[in-house]
């Protein structure tokens, strides 16, 4: 979910990835590159960690990237005993049934930008935000000015984890930088909220003002019929500063609410009608450079927004930038669902200064499911992974960490943890350049979280939890 580095040219200015246009779906499987397992299991070679950790965090293992999937790793989603890892060249399916020895089940070559992922039963929704010459996975890249370039959402059938099948594609205006799953209330449809931004009059499929998101409806029993059903304008009077769309949205379907990080604005939405979300509150913070992502507390009385100052490529965790820039902002949620109201409580930034050669800023994380308490695990690129206690939202503090040395001591090289999420007893961190890291929290305060299990977990489609509860369809 970062606004990331090194991308093909020509390319839009600012943080965005790429455009698209009209809705499209088709029934036949499409061409893609499927690679066999390429990475050795962690139990085949004794594992020695190269990271510094706090006493309550253990680096269990690392699964390095294969040579075939050598682009940047991005976000994660989880289903049963599997983690799905996005990549700028496609995605990787990991078997994590044994967290100490994960193995690669399949790798799908399907380039198209950062490859944000959401999983729903046997379906995978995959973001495309670099324009391609066609819908199929093997289509070459094309300029952003090409009116026929494809960007949007690709849909895969992952019922066979060793052999995912590409079954549909839907174009969306300005492509899909990120996507958020909202399950339909009828159990027969999924809705995917597509976030994208940075329009230009030069981009035929991404025209300004683009103060909207795209909503795709997918019949779960017939995903080839996936189609755009609405594109609600969230900022009818224009957003703050450079707001022109959203970077990311986190939904809390059980409570019919969502929080959007929309570049210059943070928003709350009513999603009781998932096809037609409605903005209920907007908040602005002049300290924030780029509203990036959001996470609710389990009881939805607080929301954490993140500020990706520098777009993920800057060394923002230095003493020069201080404790409040490129940080989290915690807001309490007051009032009703229809009129929630957001009240600022505090900022949080990792207390471990990083070097000038380490890109570091607030990025993706999730709650640690401890009922009645508020703990958060979060990636900070080369700042590593931070475990945060925010039970007092006015005074959040770090209580654990995982942190590697700089990739390069002499110059700034992009890397580090893109996403860090707690899932069924372990933390999984997607490292941009070094693969998948597995961490275990040994803090007694987190022990009860091990009794909370899920059948499926999309961090941007937030479930509620209690001990022993499973989550899924």
């Amino acid at each position: 979910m970062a606004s990331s580095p090194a991308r093909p040219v020509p390319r839009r200015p600012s943080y965005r990835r790429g455009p698209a246009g009209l809705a499209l779906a088709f029934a036949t499987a499409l061409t893609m590159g499927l690679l066999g397992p390429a990475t050795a299991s962690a139990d085949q070679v004794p594992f020695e960690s190269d990271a510094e950790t706090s006493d309550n965090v253990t680096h269990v293992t690392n699964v390095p990237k294969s040579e075939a999937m050598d682009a940047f790793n991005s976000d994660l989603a989880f289903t049963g005993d599997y983690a799905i890892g996005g990549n700028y060249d496609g995605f990787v399916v990991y078997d994590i049934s044994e967290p100490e020895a994960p193995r690669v089940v399949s790798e799908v070559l399907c380039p198209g930008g950062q490859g944000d992922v959401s999983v729903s039963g046997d379906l995978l929704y995959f973001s495309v935000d670099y324009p391609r010459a066609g819908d199929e996975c093997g289509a070459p890249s094309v300029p952003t000015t090409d009116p026929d370039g494809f960007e949007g959402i690709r849909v895969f059938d992952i019922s066979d984890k060793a052999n995912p099948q590409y079954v549909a594609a839907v174009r969306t205006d300005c492509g899909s930088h990120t996507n958020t799953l909202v399950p339909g209330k009828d159990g027969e449809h999924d809705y995917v909220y597509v976030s994208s931004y940075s329009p230009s009059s030069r981009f035929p499929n991404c025209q300004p003002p683009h103060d909207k998101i795209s909503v795709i409806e997918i019949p779960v029993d017939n995903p080839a019929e996936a189609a755009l059903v609405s594109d609600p304008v969230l900022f009818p009077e224009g957003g703050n500063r450079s707001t022109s769309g959203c970077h990311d949205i986190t939904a809390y379907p059980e409570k019919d609410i969502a929080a959007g990080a929309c570049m210059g604005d943070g928003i709350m939405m009513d999603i009781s009608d998932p096809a037609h979300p409605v903005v209920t509150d907007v908040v602005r913070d002049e300290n924030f450079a780029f509203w990036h992502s959001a996470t609710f507390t389990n009881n939805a009385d607080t929301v954490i927004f993140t500020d990706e100052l520098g777009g993920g490529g800057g060394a923002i965790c230095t003493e020069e930038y201080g404790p409040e820039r490129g940080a989290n902002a915690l807001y309490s949620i007051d009032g009703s669902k229809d009129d929630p109201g957001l009240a600022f409580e505090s900022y949080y930034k990792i207390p471990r200064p990083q070097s000038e050669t380490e890109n570091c800023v607030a990025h993706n994380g999730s709650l640690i499911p401890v009922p009645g308490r508020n703990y958060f695990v979060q990636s900070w690129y080369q700042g590593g992974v931070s475990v945060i206690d925010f039970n007092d939202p006015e005074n959040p503090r770090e209580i654990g960490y995982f942190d590697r040395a700089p990739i390069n001591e002499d110059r700034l090289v992009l890397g580090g943890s893109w996403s860090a999420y707690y899932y069924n007893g372990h933390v999984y961190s997607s490292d941009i350049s070094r693969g998948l890291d597995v961490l275990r929290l040994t803090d007694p305060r987190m022990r009860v979280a091990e009794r909370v299990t899920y059948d499926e977990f999309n961090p941007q489609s937030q479930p509620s939890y209690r001990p022993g509860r499973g989550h899924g369809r």
Side-chain angles (χ1 to χ4, degrees):
M1 308 233 177
S3 303
S4 77
R7 47 198 186 185
V9 292
R11 184 55 31 207
R12 293 187 181 84
S14 186
Y15 299 86
R16 243 192 51 72
R17 296 298 171 276
L22 308 171
L24 172 68
F26 43 93
T28 58
L30 303 178
T31 303
M32 67 179 184
L34 180 64
L35 307 176
T39 305
S41 297
D43 59 353
Q44 293 178 313
V45 178
F47 177 71
E48 294 185 11
S49 177
D50 59 352
E52 178 184 343
T53 66
S54 56
D55 291 341
N56 56 356
V57 175
T58 300
H59 189 191
V60 175
T61 195
N62 169 268
V63 182
K65 293 197 302 184
S66 71
E67 292 183 3
M69 196 68 69
D70 64 353
F72 298 128
N73 278 345
S74 57
D75 213 358
L76 295 167
F78 303 87
T79 178
D81 288 334
Y82 299 91
I84 314 294
N87 182 281
Y88 276 66
D89 276 348
F91 64 89
V92 182
V93 180
Y94 301 93
D95 181 336
I96 56 171
S97 56
E98 297 182 29
E100 298 80 9
R103 63 185 183 87
V104 173
V105 176
S106 59
E107 297 179 312
V108 174
L109 286 175
C110 195
Q114 74 180 40
D116 203 37
V117 289
S118 293
V119 64
S120 176
D122 289 335
L123 299 177
L124 176 72
Y125 306 126
F126 183 84
S127 290
V128 180
D129 63 347
Y130 282 0
R132 316 300 294 183
D135 318 289
E136 67 276 8
C137 284
S141 62
V142 295
T144 311
T145 52
D146 186 339
D148 297 321
F150 169 78
E151 293 178 278
I153 292 291
R154 287 172 171 147
V155 182
F156 291 83
D157 181 336
I158 57 169
S159 53
D160 181 354
K161 303 298 187 294
N163 188 29
Q165 296 296 308
Y166 184 15
V167 297
V170 180
R171 291 179 182 264
T172 58
D173 287 348
C174 296
S176 174
H177 186 65
T178 62
N179 74 80
T180 300
L181 171 68
V182 181
K185 296 179 183 298
D186 62 4
E188 297 178 357
H189 297 83
D190 280 337
Y191 296 89
V192 172
Y193 293 175
V194 175
S195 296
S196 54
Y197 52 96
S198 288
S200 169
S201 59
R202 297 184 296 111
F203 306 148
N205 299 322
C206 188
Q207 292 289 298
H210 193 69
D211 291 320
K212 64 181 183 179
I213 61 172
S214 299
V215 180
I216 296 172
E217 182 182 70
I218 304 98
V220 294
D221 290 333
N222 189 13
E225 295 299 317
L228 183 73
V229 292
S230 68
D231 51 0
V233 174
L234 306 182
F235 303 97
E237 298 179 0
N240 182 36
R241 298 188 307 225
S242 61
T243 299
S244 54
C246 290
H247 178 275
D248 205 356
I249 294 169
T250 292
Y252 199 158
E254 186 174 315
K255 296 186 181 295
D256 286 335
I257 58 175
C262 300
M263 304 169 70
D265 302 81
I267 64 173
M268 292 282 291
M269 291 188 287
D270 180 337
I271 60 170
S272 52
D273 178 356
H276 302 282
V278 177
V279 174
T280 54
D281 196 22
V282 178
V283 64
R284 293 171 177 170
D285 184 338
E286 294 305 314
N287 181 60
F288 261 39
F290 190 86
W291 295 71
H292 177 274
S293 52
T295 304
F296 293 101
T297 51
N298 190 48
N299 62 6
D301 64 358
T302 302
V303 60
I304 298 174
F305 287 103
T306 68
D307 175 18
E308 197 188 35
L309 172 63
I316 308 299
C317 299
T318 61
E319 293 182 356
E320 175 187 357
Y321 278 94
E324 296 183 353
R325 300 181 65 197
N328 299 332
L330 283 71
Y331 284 81
S332 60
I333 304 172
D334 300 317
S336 65
K337 183 184 74 172
D338 296 331
D339 185 22
L342 292 170
F344 175 78
E345 296 289 349
S346 65
Y347 294 112
Y348 170 83
K349 191 172 181 180
I350 58 172
R352 296 168 284 109
Q354 304 294 302
S355 72
E356 296 284 351
T357 67
E358 292 175 287
N359 60 303
C360 177
V361 72
H363 215 230
N364 295 344
S366 73
L367 295 181
I368 301 168
V370 178
R373 305 292 288 168
N374 294 321
Y375 299 108
F376 189 56
V377 60
Q378 184 181 15
S379 64
W380 290 77
Y381 290 107
Q382 287 196 67
V385 175
S386 181
V387 182
I388 304 161
D389 177 340
F390 68 110
N391 287 287
D392 178 359
E394 294 183 353
N395 295 287
R397 60 194 182 95
E398 182 171 78
I399 58 172
Y401 65 88
F402 160 85
D403 190 359
R404 284 189 171 101
I407 295 173
N408 191 305
E409 297 280 357
D410 300 319
R411 61 186 180 91
L412 182 60
V413 175
L414 187 130
S417 178
W418 179 293
S419 303
Y421 301 130
Y422 188 97
Y423 179 70
N424 292 355
H426 288 79
V427 173
Y428 296 88
S429 169
S430 176
D431 190 286
I432 292 171
S433 58
R434 300 184 231 197
L436 182 73
D437 287 301
V438 183
L439 312 177
R440 185 172 65 248
L441 307 181
T442 59
D443 193 310
R445 291 167 289 189
M446 316 294 168
R447 194 165 296 147
V448 68
E450 297 176 9
R451 303 204 299 268
V452 179
T453 59
Y454 298 102
D455 299 323
E456 184 176 288
F457 180 49
N458 296 289
Q460 289 76 41
S461 183
Q462 203 169 313
S464 61
Y465 52 75
R466 57 182 180 270
R469 176 186 176 168
H471 176 70
R473 286 197 169 275

